[in-house]
Amino acid sequence: MKIDSKSPDSEEHLQIQVPSETKYDLRLKALNGRESIRMVVLKALQAYGVDVPIDAICDRRKRH
């Protein structure tokens, strides 16, 4: 398998389908933690042992 070397700051789009109750639970965890669903998923992947750069786990939503 060939892996393209990209800059450390590059990101890829990933789309998955999950059961409705899973998405609901992710939303609740995000809301309770005052985080984005993206942050919840990245933290879960990191806890599972997937290499996730620490600076990637941030809330990218703009605050007003």
Side-chain angles (χ1 to χ4, degrees):
M1 177 169 75
K2 182 181 176 186
I3 299 175
D4 292 334
S5 61
K6 299 200 178 218
S7 69
D9 295 332
S10 68
E11 292 191 352
E12 298 285 333
H13 181 77
L14 173 68
Q15 184 175 354
I16 63 169
Q17 289 183 299
V18 296
S20 295
E21 53 271 5
T22 302
K23 186 174 179 185
Y24 179 79
D25 194 37
L26 283 170
R27 278 198 226 130
L28 283 179
K29 289 187 183 333
L31 181 63
N32 289 334
R34 295 179 181 219
E35 302 173 324
S36 65
I37 292 175
R38 177 183 182 271
M39 287 179 64
V40 172
V41 170
L42 288 176
K43 285 181 178 181
L45 289 170
Q46 187 179 53
Y48 189 70
V50 175
D51 184 25
V52 179
I54 193 69
D55 57 336
I57 302 175
C58 63
D59 193 343
R60 300 183 311 173
R61 297 176 293 181
K62 293 183 180 177
R63 304 273 180 189
H64 296 280

